[in-house]
Amino acid sequence: MEAVGGEHYHDRMIGMLEAIWGEGFLSPGGPDEVARLVAGTDFAGKSVLDIGCGAGGIDIALVRNHGAGYVCGIDVEDTVLAHARRLVERSGLTGRIGCLKVAPGPLPFPPDTFDIVFSKDSIVHIPDKHALMVEVFRVLKPDGRFVASDWLIGHDGAPSPRMAEYIAAEGLDFGMASPGRYREAMAAAGFDGIEVTSRNAWYREAARAELDRLKGPAGDAAAKLVGRDFVDENIGIWSRMIPVLDTGEHCPTHLKARKPG
Ligand SMILES: C[S@@+](CC[C@H](N)C(=O)[O-])C[C@H]1O[C@@H](n2cnc3c(N)ncnc32)[C@H](O)[C@@H]1O
């Protein structure tokens, strides 16, 4: 899909993804998947950095549902940040959530700043996983936690023709890496307690339900907002995604690690 005005997550894209995943959510599973991801990590009162906060729904869920003390959401695009700021304002949580524009590259925070670095389905856009994990390690306090979900490729080889076709249809700057590359990047940065958990089985099913909704009334409602052509384009992307979920080549994954105390 084309970037518009240099942005991948332009208004039409946000409207489309929110129609599938809920207001403020630009990745699968909504608050339930956030709850599954954060299970086992205590967010109560903690300072959290959210890398790639998108339209802000997750930051609100981290505060409302999981008691995060303060969430600093960072993103590289203005349109998602404008959506996030509106949603945060409406939620009455401006004292607990900040949304900050950053440039790709080193994180603009001093060492030992956050209790938790969180990210959901955004690191896929950051090609150098090793450099990112060094930065995540640096900004975490000792005993701090990295809790993330991301879209991985199941292996280290070249994408299969089907996978290449899916990635091209997405038209995003997907820097997909394998579970092994993420594990290595976390270990090389100094993390311990590394956990890498495939979510492929869950999303394989969920994506089918999403496609059914796109082909039904949810797609019709979205078409009124973003245009029938854009809904049809997305139906095409979902139809290409499901086969590579079935083969395991596209594998959404939970990633967790701890900075030694
Ligand atoms: C699939 S969306 C996910 C947004 C949000 N985490 C969610 O799950 O709803 C990916 C987000 O990553 C952001 N992004 C891309 N490159 C980034 C970078 N280098 N640093 C921070 N965010 C980035 C995009 O602008 C987009 O908002």
Side-chain angles (χ1 to χ4, degrees):
M1 243 182 278
E2 296 290 309
V4 174
E7 293 196 327
H8 293 306
Y9 295 91
H10 44 80
D11 278 317
R12 277 217 306 172
M13 179 72 92
I14 294 168
M16 183 73 244
L17 298 180
E18 287 187 331
I20 306 167
W21 292 322
E23 189 177 35
F25 288 89
L26 307 184
S27 68
D32 291 348
E33 178 60 2
V34 175
R36 288 187 287 262
L37 174 58
V38 307
T41 307
D42 183 12
F43 275 66
K46 300 286 165 61
S47 59
V48 181
L49 173 67
D50 177 14
I51 299 176
C53 63
I58 288 181
D59 302 327
I60 293 169
L62 290 177
V63 170
R64 274 211 186 123
N65 305 346
H66 304 288
Y70 187 83
V71 180
C72 174
I74 59 170
D75 208 287
V76 294
E77 296 198 358
D78 289 312
T79 305
V80 286
L81 283 165
H83 277 252
R85 287 180 185 125
R86 272 199 299 276
L87 211 58
V88 170
E89 182 87 41
R90 252 176 42 211
S91 70
L93 291 172
T94 48
R96 308 264 301 269
I97 300 170
C99 303
L100 183 70
K101 185 171 185 190
V102 299
L107 299 170
F109 306 101
D112 302 348
T113 301
F114 298 99
D115 296 311
I116 297 171
V117 174
F118 176 93
S119 183
K120 180 131 190 321
D121 303 344
S122 298
I123 295 173
V124 65
H125 294 292
I126 302 175
D128 190 339
K129 313 303 177 201
H130 280 72
L132 176 70
M133 292 318 302
V134 167
E135 278 295 281
V136 170
F137 189 89
R138 184 182 65 76
V139 302
L140 272 174
K141 293 178 188 169
D143 198 34
R145 307 298 156 119
F146 172 60
V147 178
S149 150
D150 203 22
W151 284 23
L152 277 61
I153 183 165
H155 57 79
D156 284 307
S160 69
R162 265 186 177 169
M163 186 69 175
E165 203 185 308
Y166 161 65
I167 293 172
E170 285 276 14
L172 296 175
D173 52 349
F174 272 7
M176 286 180 129
S178 67
R181 280 244 319 268
Y182 277 83
R183 197 177 269 285
E184 269 169 37
M186 290 187 274
F191 282 102
D192 65 19
I194 295 169
E195 293 173 35
V196 175
T197 309
S198 173
R199 298 291 293 144
N200 175 279
W202 162 71
Y203 193 47
R204 218 159 51 211
E205 295 311 312
R208 283 184 161 76
E210 289 165 2
L211 179 57
D212 287 345
R213 289 196 356 255
L214 268 179
K215 288 179 172 169
D220 294 339
K224 294 199 177 91
L225 281 176
V226 302
R228 174 48 63 189
D229 58 326
F230 201 55
V231 173
D232 288 343
E233 200 180 323
N234 277 277
I235 288 174
I237 291 172
W238 256 251
S239 305
R240 286 185 174 88
M241 178 172 69
I242 287 170
V244 291
L245 282 166
D246 285 345
T247 61
E249 200 168 11
H250 177 8
C251 71
T253 297
H254 288 181
L255 307 157
K256 295 188 185 177
R258 171 184 169 269
K259 177 171 175 172

